[in-house]
Each structure stands twice: as structure tokens, then as C-alpha cells.
Amino acid sequence: MNRGLILQFENLVQLRVACRQLHTLSYRKVYRAQWKPVQSSAHPMWSVLLYPQFWQKDKLISVALPQCRHLATKEGTKKKKKKIPLTKGEVEIRQNMTVEELAQAMGKDIDHIYEALLYTDVDLDSLEPDSVLYEDHIKLIVKKSGMKYKSAKLKEEKERENTDAVKRPPADPAVLTPRPPVVTILGHVDHGKTTLLDSLRKTQVASMEAGGITQHIGAFLVHLPSGEKITFLDTPGHAAFSAMRARGTNVTDIVILVVAAEDGVMQQTIESIQHAKNAGVPLILAINKCDKPEADPERVKKELLAHDVVCEEFGGDVQAVNISALKGENLMVLAEATVALAEMLELKADSTGLVEGTVIESRKDKGKGPVTTAIIQRGTLRKGCVLVAGKTWAKVRFMFDENGKALDAASPGIPVEIMGWKEVPSAGDEILEVESEQRAHEVVAWRTYVEQQEKMKREVEVIEEKQKEHRMEYEKKQQKLAHLTWRQRKAVLYKANKHLMFSKPKERTEMDKNVLSVIVKGDVDGSVEAILNILDSYDAEDECKLDIIHFGMGDISETDINLAEAFNGVVFGFSVKANDSIKQLAAKKGIKIKLHNIIYKFIEDLKDELNSRLPPSVVENTIGEASVLNIFSVTVGKSKIPVAGCRVQKGLLDKKMKFKLIRNGDVIWKGSLSSLRHHKDDVQVIKTGMDCGLSLDKHIEFSIGDEIICYEEKEVQQTTSWDPGF
């Protein structure tokens, strides 16, 4: 055989033996065993001894090591990775640290953390490297390791430059010019606010409102015959829209309080007065419906005295005008009174420089995208202006008046619809113009950052509170299971939670029938806000839990249906639509879609859904009453059965119904009769005034004077005690 081939073969054999020995060494190192030479039966030692020069230690390792890297065990690799230089001194700790994060902070391996948690109440079997540790456990581990701990500083504390946009300083009085007054019309529902505006504008706004109720704020510019301009804000009068009325007074100069002459002062009238006082806005009283026979304007003025609204004829400063909005009587008198008060207030504004304004209402329009109704308070708004409001911004593409007519510019006091927003801002947000789109991005980023920091701080507080609650619950459970071994505890907990572990989200929700999950969609931001304010007043959680899983603006979408399916919820829409494909998808998935245009119908439907989630209550209807007059017994086989001689005092006794035995006001038995006899005959029914003998399905001794009640049980649907004030 070729000598060179023999040498190559022997070298390969030697390399293989070397690799096996290195492999053995690595295992011995893991198990801390003393090294001993090992002979392989598959490779005789003669092949090794042929060329002893290859067995020099350094050369062998240098040759074999690159070839056998793949033979290293996973366990050895893990330990190699986790080997971190130990540190002494202080350890920075923070909330919600995981096992792995704490080990890194301490400069130790994960096994050290497990060892430190021995003999504590922590279930080590369920602890993983990414498991979150309680704060007290973190402190305990650090102390056991002979170290000190200190709380890590929050990253949020790092200084960041404030790039927010702010209002300009007050303008020089020399550049101020007169502007139209902004007048808000307030009052109780159905007292004629929208009809008043309708008459002033000669339009039919009231006839188009759902149920005759204004559902959101309308902003209109009215041109009077005298040439004066007045910007009117029409706010909803219903109790649900209190926040919208308050928003209206915050941007207004004058409030016209509309009170129906035949109704007088009502709940929302008082609330409107309070809004005006809080805003420091002067009032004009418009006593409406004075054309009705039962109208009594003087009574209205006297009732308002109790709320510190004093008319001029009583020595006050509030102008009172008797009008009929429906017939158009005295409307010009009211308009002139408004103009006169505006002149006294000397309303002026700066129409130069960067724009400032307020979002009155916002919505999503299918054709226009996000749209806002705004009142300009400073500067002149033009196309191309870059605006910020809340956490969104816009480059103005188009502007419209209340009639949908395009505008080129909007000066202070003018209501305007603005297109070009990236997202829908919230009603009530302050509008500020900035120099460029880049500046708008900076402002929005800063405001988003600030909100996130505030949210994080709130969440930390909530997490700490929840951790305390969970800790207490855990300790209570541990005390109950303290007598069990850890394996027995694990088995008990597994059995208790097994039904939840393998159930789908929808099935888990169905397990708790006393939960109503709702998705709320509205046409405009103000409507959604009003509805959420109502739902915030829900105070019957012990009867049925109300869970708002999502809310927003716009028509019902497929996402809403899928979300409702996941939570077994109901989709409620206010002044929005659901197209046929969405309705078909909802029907297929068994999801209810409730659409309404009137707020109180919306709430009534919601209450019906809550009631349907409540378990029915069992009501007992008494059918007959009998009194025990005598006691005797009969022998049946080897046993004696107690029998009561009774007389029916009221109603009738029906053997098919249920019975109860009452003694001294206490119910001592409930069940059915085993026999009912009249004289010697078995009967089914005994009527009032008749005597009978009866025995029960359980042997109970009777006493003279006991009462026998015959009744039937009926299930009655419960109703929630929640009263939203409708």
C-alpha cells in the first residue's frame, strides 16, 4: 500500500481519538468529575502509539479544537454566555424587572437569582428568565447577595427641549379692528333655540334635526338688514350634551338664554346660567313662545331671580325680549339688543399675524376627510396655512362657510370649516398657526411625548396598586394551600384554571354573562364625548359590568365587527351608518348593530341590552293559603305519616303547584304534597272555605296554627338600577 495513504489514514485516526478525548474532558468538566484516561474499544491504542509526537498537548489541542467546536454541549454554551463578571456595591433596580434583567444588573448569572429565591413563596417551577419580579422580591435578592439597591432614575426625567407652540403676546391696541360678536344660544331642550336661529337665517335647520333636537354644535354667521354681522353658536339643550354647551361658552362673547314662556325655568336652563357665569359672559334673556295662550313671561322673569338673573325692569342689567321664534315676532329687537351689547363690550381683534382659534366641532367626512368647524379668534386664516391642534396638524386645503360655500379667507369672529387635517382633532382644542410643516411636526411630537410621560406616570401608579392587590390575593391563596406540597399546590391551581386556559376569548367572555362589552361610534367628536360622559356615570357594576372596548368617529367598519366578535360585544352607532356588507358580516358572526339618531333612544337601547345581561329573578306568586286546624297521622306499611287537617282561607290549593310550611313567621319547609284529600277522595284542587287533609313529601310534624302556602315560581327579567338622568 502507498506509504502516503497509510500516513494520512493514521493521522485521521489520531485526530478522531483526540476529539473524543476532548469531548470527554468537556463532559467531565461539567460534572466536576476527576479526569481519567479512557480507551476506545473502537480505536485500539496501537494506532495512537505509532506516532507519539502527535500527542503533544499544545499541538493536539491546536489541531483538534477547530474541528470539534460543534461537539460543545448546549449547556456548556449557555453557561459560557451567561458568565458575567461579578460586581459589588449598589444595584440599580426599577419596577417590573425580569429575572434576566436583574441578573445583568447584579453581574450574576440566572442560577444565582433562582438560588436567592429558594425558601420563599415564589413558585420556581413557573419562573422563567423573562418572568417579571415583584419589587419586594427584587430587594430581597439584592440583600441576600450582599449588595445594596437604589431606584433607577426614570428615563423620562432626561431633559428635552420644549418645542411646543404657544399663543402670541397680547396685540398692540393700535392694530386691533372691530369684529363680529360670537353669540351662544343656550337653554333647555325644545325651548326653541334652533327655531330661533332658523328664523334669523331664513333656513330650515330645525326640520332637518333628528327628533327636533340639535345633536351637535352649529356655527353660523348671520347678516342683519342693518349690515351688522353676528356669529351664532347653536348648542344642544339635552342633558347629555353639557360638555358641548360649556365649550360653547368658552369661546363666546354673549349668551342668549332662551326660555319657553309656558314652561319656565327647567333643569338645562339652570345649567346654562351656570355655564355663562363660569365663563364670565353677559346674558340676554329671550322669552320664547310668547304667542301661546298659556305663556307667562313675568313668571319666567321672577323664577330667574332665584338664580341671580335680574332683568332690567327689576333693577338688574339683563335685557329681556319677548319673542316668538316660530312666527318671527320681535327677532329684530333681539338682534338689535345683541348688537347694542356688543358695542358696549367694544369687541376687537388682531387680524394680522399667525392665526389663533378654537375647534368647535370635528368629524370625519367620506369625501373631505377630517373636517373641523372652528372660530377664528386672531389672525386671518387662508389656504396653505399650517395649523396645529391637539396632537395633529393641517395644511389648509379648503375652507367653507356654514352653507358649504368656499372661502378664501376667514378673519376673527368668523366660523369656518377647515379641510386638510391629518387626523381629527378633539372639539375644544386650541388652534395655532406655525411657520412650516417641519415646525408642526415638532409641536405634535412634543405634545405626544408629554402625553406619553403623563400616561407612563399614571400607569406606574396603577401598576403599583394592582401589584399590591395581586400580592394580597396571592398571599391569601398561599395561606389556604400552605398545608400542601408544591406539587399538590400546582395541581390544585391547574384544575382551578384549566377551563380558562383552553378556552377562546369569545368563550371566556360568554362565561361571565353579566358583562356588556360595547363599541361606540359617532358622527362627530362632540357626540362621542357626550355619550362617553353618560356612560361614565354608570354605577351598577355589581349588577352588570359595562366595558367600553372601543370608541371613535365614522361609520361602522369591519374592524368594529371583528372586535365585537372577539369580546362578544354590541356595536352602538350614533348618527352613523352601516352598509349592507357590514350588516351581512355582523349577521353572519351574530353581532348586534344598534343605530340611533336621538340620544335618549340610544341610551334606552343601551339599558335594554344591560337588562338582557342580568339573570332573571324568581318571583313567588301566592295562589292559596290554608291554616292547620287539626293534626293526625295515618299508617302506611310500617311507618306513620303526619297529616294536617286544613281549611283553605284564601285562593285555592293546587296539588301540582309548590307549597311551603310557615310556623311563627318562619318558613320551615318547601316542596310538594304527597297527598291531598277532601273527605276520603283524592283531589287535585281545594277551593276557598273547603276543608282538606294533606301530607307533605317529607315527614315533618305539624302544629296547630301552621300556615300552608300554595305558590308558583315565575322568572322575571331584572332591570338595572342605573339612572343616567333621562
Side-chain angles (χ1 to χ4, degrees):
M1 185 182 290
N2 190 332
R3 178 71 176 170
L5 289 174
I6 292 174
L7 286 172
Q8 289 182 13
F9 175 75
E10 288 177 349
N11 285 339
L12 287 171
V13 171
Q14 292 166 6
L15 180 62
R16 181 177 176 84
V17 172
C19 289
R20 289 183 62 82
Q21 289 202 357
L22 285 172
H23 194 191
T24 304
L25 277 170
S26 67
Y27 268 105
R28 306 245 171 185
K29 186 179 179 182
V30 172
Y31 290 102
R32 296 189 174 95
Q34 187 176 359
W35 182 84
K36 290 180 182 179
V38 178
Q39 282 192 5
S40 173
S41 59
H43 306 283
M45 286 302 293
W46 64 265
S47 62
V48 177
L49 297 173
L50 285 174
Y51 293 91
Q53 66 271 22
F54 284 106
W55 285 95
Q56 295 177 19
K57 185 177 179 183
D58 293 338
K59 288 182 180 179
L60 202 101
I61 292 174
S62 64
V63 171
L65 196 57
Q67 305 294 330
C68 65
R69 287 185 189 277
H70 66 281
L71 294 175
T73 62
K74 289 183 179 179
E75 187 176 355
T77 305
K78 273 187 180 177
K79 292 208 170 187
K80 188 175 180 182
K81 284 183 180 178
K82 292 176 184 174
K83 208 70 177 175
I84 302 170
L86 299 182
T87 59
K88 293 183 179 180
E90 288 187 330
V91 179
E92 281 196 353
I93 63 171
R94 55 180 175 78
Q95 291 282 341
N96 302 323
M97 289 186 81
T98 63
V99 174
E100 193 169 13
E101 289 171 346
L102 181 59
Q104 290 177 355
M106 294 175 64
K108 296 184 179 294
D109 55 20
I110 292 177
D111 290 340
H112 177 85
I113 306 298
Y114 287 111
E115 289 173 11
L117 289 174
L118 285 173
Y119 309 110
T120 66
D121 56 2
V122 178
D123 185 3
L124 296 181
D125 289 340
S126 63
L127 207 61
E128 299 292 340
D130 59 349
S131 297
V132 177
L133 295 169
Y134 286 111
E135 186 179 2
D136 52 351
H137 287 153
I138 294 172
K139 293 178 180 178
L140 178 65
I141 293 166
V142 175
K143 284 182 179 178
K144 278 191 173 185
S145 303
M147 299 180 179
K148 295 180 181 180
Y149 58 82
K150 64 177 181 179
S151 297
K153 293 184 178 180
L154 295 175
K155 292 180 181 178
E156 305 85 84
E157 294 178 1
K158 187 178 179 181
E159 287 294 329
R160 178 169 170 173
E161 185 182 356
N162 187 336
T163 58
D164 199 5
V166 294
K167 285 185 174 182
R168 291 182 286 153
D172 184 354
V175 301
L176 299 181
T177 56
R179 64 167 176 84
V182 179
V183 179
T184 299
I185 297 185
L186 299 179
H188 192 75
V189 64
D190 198 33
H191 276 199
K193 301 183 301 300
T194 307
T195 306
L196 173 58
L197 278 175
D198 179 35
S199 298
L200 287 169
R201 295 191 300 126
K202 302 297 181 184
T203 59
Q204 296 299 318
V205 176
S207 62
M208 293 186 289
E209 294 289 356
I213 301 173
T214 303
Q215 303 293 336
H216 47 79
I217 294 178
F220 313 98
L221 183 65
V222 175
H223 296 262
L224 300 178
S226 60
E228 300 285 347
K229 296 179 182 177
I230 302 176
T231 296
F232 282 102
L233 297 183
D234 179 24
T235 61
H238 200 280
F241 298 96
S242 174
M244 298 175 76
R245 285 195 298 278
R247 187 158 58 247
T249 56
N250 288 336
V251 296
T252 196
D253 303 308
I254 300 170
V255 166
I256 293 181
L257 181 65
V258 179
V259 185
E262 84 280 20
D263 286 343
V265 176
M266 305 290 281
Q267 182 181 352
Q268 274 79 61
T269 310
I270 300 169
E271 188 183 280
S272 299
I273 294 169
Q274 194 60 47
H275 286 319
K277 286 182 179 179
N278 293 340
V281 180
L283 277 173
I284 294 177
L285 177 61
I287 304 176
N288 194 21
K289 304 184 182 181
C290 289
D291 56 310
K292 290 192 173 184
E294 62 271 26
D296 189 355
E298 294 303 317
R299 179 174 67 90
V300 172
K301 295 175 186 177
K302 290 176 182 177
E303 287 178 354
L304 288 171
L305 290 172
H307 304 286
D308 296 328
V309 177
V310 184
C311 297
E312 290 177 337
E313 58 192 84
F314 295 133
D317 56 358
V318 176
Q319 300 179 74
V321 183
N322 298 342
I323 64 170
S324 171
L326 189 63
K327 294 186 177 180
E329 295 177 359
N330 281 346
L331 296 188
M332 285 303 103
V333 176
L334 178 63
E336 289 169 4
T338 305
V339 171
L341 181 55
E343 288 176 354
M344 289 176 60
L345 296 174
E346 295 183 351
L347 301 173
K348 294 182 179 181
D350 177 13
S351 59
T352 62
L354 298 178
V355 172
E356 297 174 9
T358 301
V359 177
I360 300 299
E361 192 51 88
S362 60
R363 72 180 192 278
K364 275 186 179 179
D365 189 284
K366 281 188 176 180
K368 300 177 181 178
V371 178
T372 62
T373 300
I375 295 288
I376 305 304
Q377 294 166 309
R378 189 174 182 182
T380 301
L381 183 65
R382 294 182 175 86
K383 290 182 184 179
C385 288
V386 180
L387 309 176
V388 291
K391 296 188 297 299
T392 187
W393 65 280
K395 185 171 183 179
V396 180
R397 290 166 50 205
F398 297 102
M399 298 183 298
F400 304 95
D401 64 11
E402 70 274 11
N403 299 314
K405 183 181 177 182
L407 297 175
D408 294 324
S411 55
I414 302 297
V416 61
E417 275 197 348
I418 303 171
M419 282 179 57
W421 296 97
K422 303 303 176 183
E423 300 291 339
V424 180
S426 298
D429 281 350
E430 182 182 68
I431 295 175
L432 295 175
E433 184 184 358
V434 292
E435 297 82 1
S436 63
E437 293 184 24
Q438 182 181 356
R439 176 74 179 115
H441 284 293
E442 290 177 357
V443 173
V444 171
W446 169 260
R447 292 179 178 182
T448 304
Y449 168 77
V450 170
E451 185 184 60
Q452 287 174 347
Q453 302 315 304
E454 292 175 353
K455 184 180 179 183
M456 285 176 63
K457 290 178 182 178
R458 291 194 301 267
E459 285 177 350
V460 167
E461 294 174 0
V462 173
I463 288 170
E464 289 177 351
E465 188 63 32
K466 288 291 182 184
Q467 282 183 338
K468 288 181 182 178
E469 292 177 7
H470 293 162
R471 182 68 182 161
M472 292 175 65
E473 290 178 8
Y474 174 79
E475 289 175 353
K476 287 179 182 178
K477 288 180 181 178
Q478 289 297 109
Q479 288 175 2
K480 292 179 182 178
L481 305 174
H483 62 287
L484 302 175
T485 65
W486 69 270
R487 291 186 183 276
Q488 290 172 332
R489 287 200 300 269
K490 196 170 183 179
V492 169
L493 294 173
Y494 174 81
K495 289 178 181 178
N497 299 320
K498 184 178 179 181
H499 66 291
L500 290 174
M501 292 167 61
F502 299 102
S503 61
K504 296 178 182 178
K506 185 175 179 181
E507 292 171 352
R508 289 180 209 165
T509 309
E510 287 174 346
M511 288 176 188
D512 190 357
K513 293 182 179 179
N514 288 7
V515 176
L516 175 60
S517 300
V518 298
I519 295 171
V520 177
K521 298 297 288 288
D523 57 339
V524 294
D525 183 69
S527 298
V528 176
E529 177 191 18
I531 292 167
L532 294 179
N533 286 340
I534 298 169
L535 300 187
D536 282 343
S537 70
Y538 184 72
D539 56 0
E541 292 283 343
D542 54 333
E543 300 169 0
C544 179
K545 184 179 177 182
L546 178 61
D547 189 9
I548 304 167
I549 57 178
H550 175 66
F551 61 87
M553 288 175 288
D555 290 341
I556 310 299
S557 66
E558 184 177 345
T559 304
D560 300 325
I561 302 302
N562 293 334
L563 194 59
E565 181 189 23
F567 288 89
N568 192 27
V570 180
V571 181
F572 283 88
F574 183 76
S575 295
V576 296
K577 298 176 182 177
N579 60 40
D580 292 339
S581 61
I582 295 297
K583 289 180 180 178
Q584 290 172 5
L585 178 65
K588 183 179 178 181
K589 294 178 179 287
I591 302 301
K592 294 180 183 177
I593 298 178
K594 308 277 190 171
L595 302 177
H596 296 281
N597 291 324
I598 301 174
I599 188 68
Y600 54 79
K601 294 289 185 183
F602 181 103
I603 301 303
E604 285 175 4
D605 204 348
L606 178 64
K607 288 184 71 174
D608 290 341
E609 281 295 327
L610 286 167
N611 293 338
S612 69
R613 294 295 199 279
L614 299 178
S617 60
V618 178
V619 177
E620 295 180 357
N621 289 334
T622 301
I623 296 173
E625 299 176 5
S627 56
V628 178
L629 303 178
N630 203 355
I631 304 167
F632 51 94
S633 61
V634 295
T635 304
V636 178
K638 294 183 179 180
S639 60
K640 290 186 176 181
I641 298 174
V643 177
C646 303
R647 179 171 295 159
V648 180
Q649 306 291 345
K650 186 178 179 182
L652 55 86
L653 304 186
D654 189 339
K655 191 179 178 183
K656 295 178 181 178
M657 299 297 175
K658 294 186 177 183
F659 289 80
K660 56 185 174 183
L661 177 64
I662 298 177
R663 181 176 299 158
N664 298 325
D666 298 325
V667 178
I668 61 172
W669 168 85
K670 278 187 175 184
S672 56
L673 300 182
S674 60
S675 67
L676 180 63
R677 291 192 172 192
H678 180 58
H679 298 306
K680 295 183 179 181
D681 301 324
D682 287 328
V683 293
Q684 288 293 326
V685 177
I686 298 292
K687 297 181 180 179
T688 305
M690 297 176 64
D691 295 335
C692 64
L694 56 84
S695 59
L696 312 179
D697 59 1
K698 186 178 180 181
H699 290 186
I700 295 178
E701 295 296 332
F702 294 100
S703 295
I704 295 175
D706 287 350
E707 291 182 84
I708 305 291
I709 305 296
C710 175
Y711 68 95
E712 65 176 347
E713 290 182 343
K714 285 187 177 181
E715 288 189 349
V716 178
Q717 182 60 54
Q718 294 188 67
T719 57
T720 178
S721 60
W722 176 46
D723 181 14
F726 286 85

